[in-house]
């Protein structure tokens, strides 16, 4: 088997081609421009150092994102010693409200219950839907959003996330549950609930 | 299908059965937790049975479970959409790299970049 021709590894072009994407990736998980910039820089420098190991098996973007993700996981691992529950407290109200049914305790209140989402699948092709989706994830408290993005967008396994954030599986499940609940509600309000659509 | 399903509220015997199920299966609050858990781990046979029984009585929880699955599909297609976005910037990301940061990055990488080694 021939060795694949090594693709032109040009860091300036990395910035042009993937800079926006990598920055958005880091920013949506860190919520800080300075930190996001630092991480993108660190990841690109690391990529530069290890570019001989880039085998061209994945796309350049996937490779760079992988390096960036590992840098961020390391950071969370080091800084995430304390288990803060403020985010959970923040969402606790949201969790109880839909179920404050006095006649039938802990069952849906009619106004808060999930409504029918018509044509949900085709929403995925619409740019406006993704704007709403992004806004809704941004509204989640930082740690909750981070956990949700790691699990559902980055497709990390539960134990990987628990290890990196130093949280118990139970804690992770509660956070994911709250994230899904809040996100579902936000989408219903701002996308599926739109009257004339 | 939904119409047939809705019949249970019209036929008295079914109506009583549905109400009985709603009262004797875990609450909707519990169901919401279980629906989320079902995306993380395999439910036990008991949990699956209780869930099914609850769904027979409760359209809202069934909808909730479906919508959570939709969220998962959406999040995964978001990953695909973002990583595979073409490079012509026709799909701008919500938080693009600020101009000054772009300059700084290029500058920093330029300093680090060693002269291209001769091919081995």
């Amino acid at each position: 088997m021939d060795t694949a021709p090594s693709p032109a590894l040009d860091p300036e072009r990395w910035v042009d081609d993937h800079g926006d994407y990598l920055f958005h990736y880091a920013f949506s998980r860190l919520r800080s421009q300075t930190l996001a910039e630092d991480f993108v820089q660190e990841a690109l420098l690391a990529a530069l150092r290890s570019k001989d190991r880039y085998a061209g098996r994945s796309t350049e973007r996937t490779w760079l994102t992988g390096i960036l993700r590992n840098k961020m996981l390391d950071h969370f691992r080091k800084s995430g010693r304390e288990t803060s529950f403020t985010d959970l407290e923040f969402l606790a109200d949201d969790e109880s409200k839909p179920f404050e049914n006095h006649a039938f305790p802990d069952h849906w209140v009619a106004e808060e219950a999930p409504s029918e989402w018509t044509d949900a699948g085709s929403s995925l092709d619409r740019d406006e839907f993704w704007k709403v989706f992004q806004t809704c994830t941004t509204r989640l408290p930082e740690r909750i959003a981070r956990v949700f993005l790691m699990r559902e967008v980055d497709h990390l396994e539960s134990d990987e996330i628990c290890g990196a954030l130093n949280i118990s599986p139970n804690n992770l499940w509660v956070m994911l549950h709250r994230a899904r609940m809040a996100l579902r509600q936000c989408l219903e309000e701002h996308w599926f609930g739109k009257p004339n659509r | 299908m939904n119409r047939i399903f809705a019949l249970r509220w019209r036929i008295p015997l079914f109506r009583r059965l549905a109400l009985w199920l709603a009262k004797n299966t875990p609450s909707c609050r519990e169901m919401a937790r279980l629906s989320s858990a079902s995306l993380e781990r395999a439910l036990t046979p008991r949990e699956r049975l209780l869930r099914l029984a609850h769904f027979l009585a409760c359209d809202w929880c069934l909808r909730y479970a479906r919508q959570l699955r939709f969220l998962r599909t959406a999040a995964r297609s978001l990953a695909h959409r973002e990583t595979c976005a073409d490079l012509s910037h026709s799909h701008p990301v919500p938080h693009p790299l600020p101009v000054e940061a772009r300059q700084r990055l290029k500058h920093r990488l330029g300093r680090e970049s060693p002269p291209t080694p001769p091919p081995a």
Side-chain angles (χ1 to χ4, degrees):
Chain A
M1 200 172 77
D2 289 345
T3 38
S6 135
L9 290 161
D10 169 10
E12 289 222 355
R13 195 179 46 75
W14 289 346
V15 178
D16 285 329
D17 286 353
H18 312 298
D20 282 338
Y21 169 73
L22 294 172
F23 183 80
H24 162 73
Y25 182 93
F27 183 79
S28 54
R29 286 154 181 79
L30 297 159
R31 303 264 170 104
S32 147
Q33 294 227 357
T34 336
L35 267 183
E37 188 187 331
D38 286 352
F39 274 100
V40 172
Q41 175 174 311
E42 224 184 286
L44 290 180
L45 288 175
L48 202 57
R49 269 176 248 123
S50 64
K51 66 181 177 184
D52 301 334
R53 272 182 282 150
Y54 172 55
R57 242 172 284 137
S58 52
T59 66
E60 204 172 60
R61 185 174 284 192
T62 314
W63 175 60
L64 293 172
T65 314
I67 298 176
L68 177 61
R69 175 165 54 233
N70 285 335
K71 292 268 168 211
M72 284 167 55
L73 284 179
D74 274 345
H75 165 76
F76 295 146
R77 211 169 278 136
K78 280 176 205 139
S79 67
R81 294 300 303 179
E82 87 293 357
T83 0
S84 135
F85 272 91
T86 42
D87 290 347
L88 290 180
E89 282 159 19
F90 180 82
L91 281 179
D93 288 347
D94 283 357
E95 204 225 347
S96 321
K97 216 176 133 221
F99 302 111
E100 274 167 8
N101 186 329
H102 296 298
F104 223 157
D106 286 335
H107 288 254
W108 294 103
V109 183
E111 308 86 68
E112 301 274 348
S115 58
E116 191 67 56
W117 289 1
T118 41
D119 227 4
S122 71
S123 304
L124 299 182
D125 299 326
R126 299 180 54 174
D127 289 343
E128 299 93 326
F129 171 78
W130 292 110
K131 268 188 207 132
V132 177
F133 192 90
Q134 298 274 6
T135 316
C136 285
T137 49
T138 317
R139 281 189 188 184
L140 297 173
E142 184 182 342
R143 281 168 53 92
I144 305 262
R146 182 185 300 158
V147 163
F148 179 80
L149 294 175
M150 283 165 105
R151 180 73 186 102
E152 300 292 40
V153 181
D154 298 342
H155 221 316
L156 292 181
E157 289 306 322
S158 302
D159 37 331
E160 263 179 292
I161 304 175
C162 289
L165 301 183
N166 196 35
I167 53 178
S168 69
N170 238 330
N171 201 335
L172 173 72
W173 290 342
V174 175
M175 287 168 99
L176 285 172
H177 165 53
R178 302 284 165 83
R180 289 175 180 136
M181 192 153 197
L183 205 54
R184 193 210 68 80
Q185 200 170 357
C186 182
L187 284 181
E188 182 156 309
E189 267 169 44
H190 296 97
W191 179 258
F192 293 104
K194 274 190 200 165
N196 311 306
R197 200 174 50 78
Chain B
M1 183 64 201
N2 278 345
R3 208 169 294 164
I4 300 172
F5 213 55
L7 274 180
R8 71 189 186 284
W9 297 114
R10 300 248 194 89
I11 301 171
L13 178 68
F14 285 5
R15 190 184 146 84
R16 273 169 59 198
L17 181 68
L19 278 174
W20 185 86
L21 282 175
K23 270 185 199 140
N24 290 280
T25 54
S27 65
C28 298
R29 186 199 292 268
E30 208 45 55
M31 278 300 141
R33 270 182 215 146
L34 208 54
S35 287
S36 184
S38 76
L39 299 176
E40 301 307 314
R41 61 177 173 88
L43 298 184
T44 65
R46 189 188 134 81
E47 283 170 330
R48 280 213 298 263
L49 193 66
L50 283 173
R51 203 158 89 109
L52 187 68
H54 187 95
F55 284 167
L56 284 174
C58 182
D59 296 346
W60 287 332
C61 284
L62 182 59
R63 246 182 229 165
Y64 185 84
R66 281 196 192 133
Q67 291 172 359
L68 285 201
R69 279 204 299 274
F70 171 78
L71 280 187
R72 168 159 284 184
T73 318
R76 296 203 167 154
S77 63
L78 175 69
H80 185 74
R81 199 182 150 87
E82 283 182 344
T83 42
C84 300
D86 57 333
L87 304 175
S88 59
H89 305 286
S90 63
H91 285 297
V93 290
H95 311 289
L97 184 65
V99 184
E100 322 83 70
R102 184 181 298 269
Q103 300 296 329
R104 279 197 293 272
L105 268 177
K106 283 192 175 177
H107 182 71
R108 181 78 180 82
L109 287 169
R111 266 193 294 152
E112 200 73 13
S113 195
T116 332

